[in-house]
Amino acid sequence: MFTIKKIALLVGVAVLGLCAYQLPISLGNDPVYKDIDPTVKPGDDFFAYANGGWIKRNPIPAAYSSWGIGNVVGEEIRDRLKKINEDAMNANAPVGSNTQKIGDFYYSGLDTLALEREGVNPLQAQLTLIDQARTAADIVHVAAYLSTYGTRSFISAGVGQDAKNSSKMIVQLRQGGLSLPNRDYYFKTDARTSKIRNDFQTNHLPTMLKLSGWDGQKAAKGAESVYKIEKFLADSNRRLEDMRDPYRNYNKMTVAKLNELTPGINWSTVFKDMELKAVDSVIVGQPEYYRAVNTALKTFTIDDWKAYMRWKLISSNAAYLNKALDEENFRFTGTVLAGRKEQLPRWKRVLDTENGIMGELLGQLFVKEYFPLAAKKRYADMVEAMRIAYREHIEKLDWMSAATKQKALTKLNAIQPKVGYPDKWKDFSTLQTDRKSYAGNVLRARHWAYLINANKLGKPVDHTEWGMTPQTYNASYSPSNNEITLPAAQFIIPGVKDADVDDAVVYGYAAASTIGHEITHGFDDQGRQFDAKGNLKAWWTPQDSAKFTARAQMLVNQFNNCVVLDSLHVNGKATLGENIADLGGIAIGITAFKKTAQYKEGKTINGLTPMQRYFLGYALGWLGHARNESLANQILTDVHSPGFLRVNVPFSDTPEFYEAFKIKKGDKMWVDADKRVKIW
């Protein structure tokens, strides 16, 4: 289970390091001063003050639903990866080498003539399997088998750590079955959601089924079948906020009990079809969903299910097929859902797909050229500086008992950081690629990755494995491993040399927004329920737990009151974990920054004090803006609040912010002292 700080983007690596700040920093080379919008008062809208200049100069490109710092870095890194791929493609490398695998995959994705010749032929064997289904048991078999090649349908299963026994890998079943982003899209009646749902039902579904080879009448009838199955399943999907309760979403049972839960499904056969061996027990996240699946298999006809499975197969692979399917897939998922006006150039899309499938293979080549070994130590040192600061915060808490404090400190001390890139790389020796078929490469790679996961069942947890690539602009905390993952790419500031970034900006941008944020996830509303060994276990006293919940509820209320679009409010409960991590990261980062020479000397840079630069550095981490379609989708589906609120709301709770920018009562960001939230 990963708690992700930011929406993942393909980006690259640089060394930011804990360099000593240098004076003077020129205005044009100052990573925060140049983005300020002086027409905005810091106390009215700090996000707009800090980032407004950049936003005015940088409209969202047509191919994107949002545009920000991660995208800017991503463009630079795509160019670097493009060179790696082009060199690999032209290297005539030996079959089986990493260079051959990269080069052939890239070549196949760019070969649009082959894509047009193939049409849906790469899926023909799977389409035939669907067409041959005669019974509900056949449909279950098809769904189980296709899931091993990346087609997600009504069975959503994988192998992961047992939340209550983190040393054991166990089969886990989760809700699923939907094509729209989540259950709310099937039931909300506002104009925006209704328009999306109508397009999906009456336009996108029949068009895609027709492009898959069905005539218009059959495609229209099939679309009706798909939608009614999905709406039925959506009714038993839990809401976004309900998925954050680790106890409610932990339902361990034997396979025999699972068969009793869904008497129409033989799970022993299903697990065999999914190449999962010796399954004795499972964790069912949402039992009511699988009861609904059992009912649906009896309720809907075999022809209904054939249409559904055909749709799931085609939609799961449309981006790797011919132009007509690819463009219709983008029209709905890219434009209708996210507001993008055009697709990325093909080479960028192929790179992004490749990065998702064999990103660590690219990462090996990437860090060899762009990331020196010394950087790992620099970031490790910053992690320890933040750990020391967090320790001080826990020790000084006035609401937590000594008994719980001691266990919190034990957990904090046990957090393992993964910094920069893996010490041990994944083995890609059994992955096969060629130049014949792009979709064929994707299917093989998905099956390869699936088997890697499936083969973890019954084996010790590999704590050296990374869930992200070094070139990913993101970071994470894993409750079951009690570890933070900090890819090297997360710390780059585009257009500025590392040595030119002063400590104040570094501590806001890197220490608070990333490192402190991820450490705090271990103590947010969800992470705090796992102990130092990564097990779901009650280690708080009831009184301390109640006090934490009361403080957290204040944060829920703050975000519930935030209006983003029209009548769309932030879901304070669903976003609580990220909001706690933001607030904690800022507070801990301030404590760590106050120990630096720059803060103690207090000299200004370009008229900005060290603490002002700290807050500007934090805001830089959320530099960007998004289309309305993307914001609406985020509010309904994402546990992250929009970036401008992730700056303004926690800053309004931070006393040092008021002091740094002389915020006064009457300023729009002012919050009375007794209403400010303080947790960590």
Side-chain angles (χ1 to χ4, degrees):
M1 179 167 60
F2 281 87
T3 306
I4 306 299
K5 173 181 176 287
K6 299 182 180 179
I7 297 173
L9 295 167
L10 172 66
V11 296
V13 180
V15 185
L16 193 55
L18 301 182
C19 53
Y21 72 99
Q22 298 179 0
L23 292 174
I25 295 175
S26 68
L27 294 179
N29 201 39
D30 189 332
V32 292
Y33 182 90
K34 58 187 173 60
D35 294 332
I36 288 174
D37 182 351
T39 68
V40 180
K41 284 180 61 178
D44 285 346
D45 183 344
F46 190 81
F47 177 88
Y49 164 76
N51 297 325
W54 185 91
I55 290 171
K56 288 178 179 178
R57 297 190 301 270
N58 293 274
I60 302 171
Y64 291 85
S65 58
S66 61
W67 189 249
I69 188 168
N71 304 99
V72 176
V73 177
E75 292 303 294
E76 176 185 332
I77 301 315
R78 279 202 188 97
D79 287 338
R80 295 179 181 179
L81 294 178
K82 182 182 182 184
K83 182 179 186 305
I84 289 173
N85 274 267
E86 289 178 342
D87 289 347
M89 190 169 61
N90 297 320
N92 195 26
V95 175
S97 65
N98 289 347
T99 300
Q100 174 266 316
K101 291 170 185 178
I102 291 170
D104 283 6
F105 187 95
Y106 189 63
Y107 180 94
S108 71
L110 297 182
D111 190 356
T112 54
L113 293 178
L115 290 171
E116 292 307 308
R117 286 197 305 269
E118 284 189 311
V120 297
N121 286 336
L123 305 180
Q124 196 54 58
Q126 296 173 323
L127 288 168
T128 299
L129 186 65
I130 295 170
D131 291 340
Q132 290 174 344
R134 296 292 179 266
T135 66
D138 292 341
I139 294 295
V140 173
H141 164 70
V142 169
Y145 172 74
L146 293 186
S147 72
T148 71
Y149 286 88
T151 295
R152 290 195 173 275
S153 57
F154 58 88
I155 295 175
S156 182
V159 175
Q161 287 168 272
D162 186 332
K164 293 187 177 181
N165 182 6
S166 63
S167 64
K168 183 176 182 180
M169 302 296 285
I170 188 171
V171 174
Q172 306 195 24
L173 293 172
R174 301 169 295 275
Q175 67 186 30
L178 313 183
S179 300
L180 293 175
N182 69 11
R183 71 178 312 282
D184 289 346
Y185 280 81
Y186 295 84
F187 302 112
K188 284 178 68 70
T189 58
D190 63 282
R192 181 180 286 105
T193 311
S194 297
K195 182 179 179 181
I196 291 171
R197 181 169 58 243
N198 182 65
D199 188 297
F200 175 70
Q201 190 175 356
T202 63
N203 189 2
H204 184 54
L205 279 174
T207 300
M208 291 288 280
L209 288 172
K210 187 174 181 181
L211 290 172
S212 78
W214 280 1
D215 62 40
Q217 183 177 358
K218 191 172 184 180
K221 188 172 186 301
E224 293 176 3
S225 297
V226 171
Y227 187 77
K228 65 185 180 182
I229 289 175
E230 292 202 359
K231 187 174 182 181
F232 182 88
L233 296 177
D235 194 45
S236 294
N237 267 245
R238 291 183 184 172
R239 298 182 186 278
L240 185 64
E241 60 268 29
D242 295 330
M243 296 296 287
R244 288 191 51 76
D245 184 338
Y247 282 97
R248 190 181 167 206
N249 290 283
Y250 182 95
N251 303 280
K252 192 172 184 177
M253 61 186 73
T254 64
V255 174
K257 285 290 184 183
L258 179 59
N259 283 329
E260 290 179 15
L261 178 74
T262 57
I265 303 174
N266 184 328
W267 285 98
S268 295
T269 301
V270 170
F271 294 142
K272 183 179 179 181
D273 290 336
M274 298 183 74
E275 301 185 65
L276 296 168
K277 300 171 183 176
V279 181
D280 53 8
S281 58
V282 299
I283 296 171
V284 183
Q286 302 77 35
E288 69 275 19
Y289 168 76
Y290 282 95
R291 280 194 292 268
V293 169
N294 188 74
T295 301
L297 287 167
K298 296 182 292 185
T299 302
F300 300 106
T301 68
I302 298 302
D303 284 342
D304 288 336
W305 282 108
K306 285 183 179 181
Y308 172 85
M309 290 307 306
R310 186 181 189 91
W311 152 250
K312 297 301 282 187
L313 174 64
I314 292 294
S315 61
S316 295
N317 295 282
Y320 321 116
L321 297 170
N322 61 320
K323 184 177 181 180
L325 277 164
D326 178 38
E327 289 187 343
E328 172 56 24
N329 179 65
F330 172 78
R331 185 198 66 80
F332 183 75
T333 61
T335 301
V336 176
L337 279 177
R340 293 164 59 193
K341 309 302 181 186
E342 63 184 39
Q343 290 223 60
L344 289 169
R346 181 155 199 92
W347 69 267
K348 293 184 180 181
R349 283 143 53 201
V350 175
L351 272 182
D352 289 355
T353 300
E354 182 186 50
N355 198 59
I357 287 172
M358 55 178 103
E360 206 166 289
L361 197 59
L362 286 172
Q364 293 179 46
L365 300 176
F366 193 88
V367 298
K368 190 179 296 183
E369 185 173 355
Y370 296 106
F371 191 72
L373 184 63
K376 295 190 80 164
K377 183 182 184 307
R378 289 175 175 173
Y379 291 117
D381 289 345
M382 183 176 272
V383 169
E384 293 314 310
M386 292 296 284
R387 197 196 305 260
I388 290 168
Y390 208 143
R391 194 176 294 134
E392 294 174 7
H393 278 244
I394 292 173
E395 290 169 346
K396 293 177 181 177
L397 288 176
D398 59 5
W399 58 267
M400 181 180 280
S401 69
T404 305
K405 281 184 181 180
Q406 188 55 52
K407 292 178 180 177
L409 289 170
T410 298
K411 179 172 182 176
L412 175 65
N413 293 336
I415 291 176
Q416 291 298 315
K418 292 178 174 178
V419 181
Y421 55 86
D423 294 321
K424 184 179 81 172
W425 298 97
K426 284 187 176 72
D427 179 5
F428 287 84
S429 59
T430 57
L431 175 65
Q432 296 181 358
T433 67
D434 59 35
R435 300 196 173 196
K436 297 176 183 176
S437 171
Y438 185 38
N441 280 333
V442 172
L443 287 168
R444 279 193 301 274
R446 284 175 170 174
H447 189 60
W448 173 85
Y450 173 84
L451 292 179
I452 295 291
N453 178 257
N455 288 333
K456 294 177 182 178
L457 186 62
K459 295 178 181 177
V461 176
D462 182 0
H463 290 286
T464 68
E465 183 178 20
W466 277 49
M468 293 181 176
T469 67
Q471 66 271 22
T472 299
Y473 191 77
N474 208 336
S476 70
Y477 171 75
S478 167
S480 292
N481 286 328
N482 194 27
E483 68 181 20
I484 57 174
T485 301
L486 307 167
Q490 175 59 32
F491 302 100
I492 190 170
I493 297 178
V496 185
K497 291 182 179 180
D498 313 321
D500 292 337
V501 183
D502 56 304
D503 288 344
V505 172
V506 171
Y507 270 85
Y509 180 76
S513 179
T514 300
I515 298 171
H517 175 102
E518 298 308 337
I519 292 176
T520 305
H521 268 313
F523 304 91
D524 69 16
D525 63 308
Q526 194 173 30
R528 77 178 187 88
Q529 300 184 69
F530 292 77
D531 65 14
K533 294 183 178 179
N535 293 314
L536 185 59
K537 182 180 179 182
W539 55 272
W540 293 57
T541 67
Q543 295 84 357
D544 290 337
S545 187
K547 290 175 182 177
F548 174 93
T549 301
R551 289 168 180 264
Q553 186 59 46
M554 292 176 65
L555 202 57
V556 171
N557 296 341
Q558 280 187 344
F559 278 88
N560 278 343
N561 288 327
C562 295
V563 180
V564 179
L565 289 171
D566 308 328
S567 60
L568 279 178
H569 287 243
V570 173
N571 186 331
K573 187 175 179 181
T575 58
L576 179 59
E578 297 299 327
N579 299 333
I580 289 173
D582 287 339
L583 185 60
I586 292 165
I588 297 156
I590 288 171
T591 298
F593 174 54
K594 285 181 177 179
K595 299 177 189 295
T596 66
Q598 182 179 5
Y599 175 79
K600 292 174 181 177
E601 290 176 9
K603 296 179 181 177
T604 63
I605 299 176
N606 295 327
L608 298 166
T609 69
M611 191 55 76
Q612 287 176 332
R613 295 181 66 79
Y614 170 85
F615 287 108
L616 288 165
Y618 182 90
L620 177 64
W622 302 109
L623 174 72
H625 50 144
R627 300 188 192 280
N628 287 348
E629 295 91 340
S630 178
L631 282 172
N633 177 269
Q634 182 177 359
I635 293 301
L636 293 182
T637 66
D638 201 338
V639 296
H640 301 78
S641 304
F644 65 93
L645 294 175
R646 297 183 71 173
V647 172
N648 288 351
V649 177
F651 280 9
S652 294
D653 289 323
T654 304
E656 289 85 352
F657 170 69
Y658 289 80
E659 297 167 11
F661 289 94
K662 305 295 186 289
I663 310 301
K664 297 180 174 58
K665 195 173 182 67
D667 291 339
K668 293 178 182 178
M669 288 182 62
W670 175 275
V671 173
D672 290 339
D674 63 337
K675 293 182 173 61
R676 295 174 195 166
V677 183
K678 180 183 178 183
I679 300 177
W680 295 106

